[in-house]
Amino acid sequence: MVGYKPLLRLVVYAAAFVVVLLAYWYLVVPGYFVNVEVCSKACHSTHILDYKKISGPFWCLSCHGFGVRSEIASWAPFHVDEKLQAAVEEHGECLMCHPVPGKFHEAHLAAKPVVKCVDCHTDAYRGGHTVKPGSKPCVSCHNPAAVHPHLLPSAVSYCLVCHSERPAVDWEKLKPGKASYEFAASSAKTFLKAVGARWTVKSYCLVCHEEPPAEAHKVHLWRSIGGRTVKCLTCHKAGFTHGTKPGAVLCVECHKPSEVPLHELAPEKLSSCLLCHRGWAPGDGSLFATGKGCKGCHGDIRKNVERLVGLHYKHVAYYGCEACHKVDVKTHKEFMESAKSSGLCLKCHTVYGGLKPEAFKLAQAPLTKTEFAGFAYHENMVKAANGDCFKCHYAWGKPKLELVLPTGG
Amino acid sequence: MAESLLYRWVWCRIRGLIELVLQLEVLIKTREPGRWLIALLVYLGLLGSMLTAVIAGLTKLVTMASNVVPRPHALPMIGPWWEKLFISWPQWFYGLGLHGHIITGLYFAAAAYTVALVAALLGRDEWLYGFLFGEKLGLKEFFDHLLLWLTFVFGAAPVFLAPLIKAAGGIMPGFQSLLVHGILGYLWIGYSMATRGLAYRVVAAAFICIYQVIFGLRYPKVYSDLLEKDPWIKLLYREARSR
C-alpha cells in the first residue's frame, strides 16, 4: 500500500518534471530552429512542416507523418496531406522535404509517363544528394538532335545550360526573331563559361552553329578584305534580330555591283543581290533546278538581243542555254565555266566556221545552210589561235586578239 | 527454496528485459512512484542520450564523407524496405542520432536530472541523493556532475553561442556551437566511466539487465560491489548472484 506522501511526491516530482521540461524546451529548441540551418532551412521548413508552427515539445506527435502516411505506423491517425501523399507516392519521397523548385520542375512532374525525382537526380541515393544532375538524364526522354536540328551536337548536349529552373542562357530570347545577334553572341559566351569550356572559337556563333557549308559562306568567311576579316557578325550585324538573313544592303557595303562587269546590263535586277547570288544556303540542286532556269533571270534576253555582244549575239536567237552550258550545276560560276571549251564549238561547227548537221538538229528556230557556210581562210585562223576559238570569238566582252570584228560574230 | 526451471530459464530473462526498460523492481521495493519515475527518466535519458550521441557521432562522419541523402522517414529500418537500412545513414544520424538525442537528452535526462538534483539537494530526498551520487558525494562525483551540467548547458549553445559564431563569420554556426556540447559530452562519458560515476552506473544497470536476459540468474562479477552497495542498483535484482 502506497502512502499519501509517496503519492504527493509523485505529483510534485511529475509536475516539476513537466515544468522543467517545458522551460528547457522553450529555452533551447526555438534557438535551434533559428540558428541551426539544417533544422530551419531543411527538414522543418516544408510547406507542411514549418518550424514556426512547432509550438511545444509534443507538437511533433500531432503529425509525425510529416504530412504523409507514416511508414512504421500507417494506421496511426497522424495528419496526412492527401495532395502531398499522392505526390510522394507518384514522384518520390524527395517532395516531403523539398518544395517543387519552379516551372521547369513542375512541367516535368506534370509529364506523362510519370517522372520520378530520381529519374533525373539519379545519384540522390548514391552519395550525390546535393549533386545537381547533368544533361545525361535528359536524353533518356528527349532527343536533342531532333529538337534542335540546326544546332551543333556539342552545344545541344549541354541541355541544362538553357533548360533549367535558372538557366545560364535565356533560351526563350534565343529563339529566332526574339533578340539580337549581339545577344546571341553574348549568350554563347555565357554558355562557354557555364560549361567551363576550355576551347576557343573563331566566332561565338560557332558555339551553337556549324560553319555554313554553302559556297558563298566559304568564299566570304575568314577572308581578309580591306584590312578586316569577315566574321559572322560582319554580315549578321550585332543589332539585327537573331535568325534574320542579311539583305542586299549589306552586300553593297563591300561590293559595288555597278562596277562589276555585265551588271550594268540588268540594272533592274540589282536591287536584290540574292536574286542571282544564291550560294548562301546549302545547295538545293542546281541553278537550273531552282525552278526558274536561266530564263528566270535572263528571260528577256532575246528581246534585248541588240544589246548582246559576242557569241551570245549569234546563238541566243536559235539555241537554248543548255546547248553550250551545263545547266544542272549549283553555282552560276560553274555554269559559266562549263561553256569555256572549244570542243563545244566543234560539236556544231567545222574548222571553216561552217555548220555541221548537229547544228540544225539542236536549233530551236529555223536555220538555213546559206546563213553560215564558213570561210576557207578560217582554218588558218584556227591554227593561229592554237584551236582556241575564244581567242577571237569572245563570249561577252572584248576579244583577246584584235583580229576581226570587234563587235563579235 | 529452489527456483523452478521455468523461473530460472524463462521468467528471469523476461524480468531482465522488463527491468532494462521499466525498472519495476525499484518501484516495487521503494513503493515510491515519484522517485521511481524520476530515476527511470534519468536512467533512460542518460542511457539513450549516450547511445544516440555515439550513433550521431559515427553516422555524422559517414554522412559527411559520403554526402548521402537524408530521409525524413521515421525509422525505416523496421519498416518494409529493408534495403533502406543500408543506404540511410542520414536516417540514423537525423532520426536516431539527432532527434533521438534531443528526445532522450532534453525531454528525459535534462528535465528529470534537474528535478532529481533539486529534490536531492534542496528537498533532502535521500534516496534520490543516493541515486545520483551513489554511496557518497566526493570530489570525483562533483566533477562528474559538473561536467554533465556543462554538457547540458552547452546543449543549448545554438541559442547563445551560434549568433556570436555567425557574427564572427562562422560558416555553420549551429553545428559549430554544438561542437562544445559534443566535446564536453564525450569527455563526460569518458570521465564518468573511468571514475565509476553516473554514466558508469547507468551503463552498468543496463548491462546487468542485458546480462540477465542472456545468461539468466547471473551477473558479471565486476558489478558485484554495485549490486551490494549502490542505493539504486542494489534494488534492481533481488535474486542476482555472482557468476
Side-chain angles (χ1 to χ4, degrees), chain A residues 1-3 5-7 9-14 16-18 20-21 24-25 27-32 34-38 41 43-44 56-60 64 66 68-72 88 93 96-97 123-131, chain B residues 31-35 37-38 41 66-76 78-81 84 87 94 98-99 102 106-108 110-112 114-115 119 125 128 149 154-160 162-163 166 171 173-175 177-178 181:
Chain A
M1 182 76 183
V2 179
K5 276 189 177 178
L7 284 177
R9 255 196 293 271
L10 171 64
V11 172
V12 171
Y13 288 174
F17 172 78
V18 172
V20 172
L21 169 59
Y24 282 176
W25 194 93
L27 280 171
V28 174
V29 176
Y32 270 67
V34 172
N35 295 314
V36 185
E37 286 197 348
V38 76
K41 290 184 179 173
C43 299
H44 295 285
F58 303 108
W59 183 92
C60 51
H64 195 247
F66 292 95
V68 300
R69 208 159 282 114
S70 170
E71 279 186 11
I72 58 167
V88 166
E93 63 198 5
M96 290 166 68
C97 285
D123 291 330
Y125 284 127
R126 301 194 184 98
H129 178 220
T130 57
V131 177
Chain B
R31 291 178 177 269
E32 281 279 358
R35 288 169 178 166
L37 179 67
I38 294 301
L41 289 171
S66 60
N67 183 28
V68 286
V69 59
R71 298 180 64 255
H73 286 251
L75 304 174
I78 57 172
W81 302 317
K84 288 179 181 173
I87 60 171
Y94 286 108
L98 283 188
H99 291 99
I102 290 168
L106 179 69
Y107 285 35
F108 285 30
T114 305
V115 174
D125 188 322
L128 282 176
W149 260 112
F154 277 93
V159 180
F160 58 88
K166 192 173 185 178
I171 49 171
F175 274 122
S177 63
L178 279 172
H181 168 73

Side-chain angles (χ1 to χ4, degrees), chain A residues 79-126:
Chain A
H79 166 72
V80 174
D81 180 321
E82 296 297 339
K83 198 176 167 188
L84 180 65
Q85 173 78 35
V88 166
E89 283 174 5
E90 194 168 49
H91 304 294
E93 63 198 5
C94 310
L95 295 173
M96 290 166 68
C97 285
H98 301 282
V100 180
K103 288 181 180 175
F104 179 76
H105 283 81
E106 280 171 7
H108 281 80
L109 293 181
K112 298 291 174 190
V114 171
V115 178
K116 286 183 170 290
C117 303
V118 291
D119 288 343
C120 301
H121 298 268
T122 50
D123 291 330
Y125 284 127
R126 301 194 184 98

Side-chain angles (χ1 to χ4, degrees), chain B residues 177-203:
Chain B
S177 63
L178 279 172
L179 208 59
V180 184
H181 168 73
I183 292 168
L184 281 172
Y186 287 122
L187 195 63
W188 171 72
I189 293 173
Y191 176 84
S192 193
M193 294 293 280
T195 59
R196 294 166 71 91
L198 188 57
Y200 176 83
R201 292 165 63 231
V202 164
V203 172

Side-chain angles (χ1 to χ4, degrees), chain B residues 3-17 19 205-221 227 236-243:
Chain B
E3 297 98 356
S4 67
L5 276 175
L6 183 68
Y7 179 86
R8 288 173 63 190
W9 288 96
V10 181
W11 177 234
C12 69
R13 285 183 165 80
I14 294 171
R15 262 190 55 180
L17 201 60
E19 289 306 303
F207 194 67
I208 289 167
C209 295
I210 294 167
Y211 204 88
Q212 192 171 7
V213 170
I214 297 169
F215 298 108
L217 288 172
R218 285 179 290 184
Y219 63 90
K221 202 170 182 179
L227 283 161
L236 289 176
Y237 300 102
R238 184 175 48 193
E239 299 88 14
R241 53 195 64 175
S242 177
R243 193 177 176 186

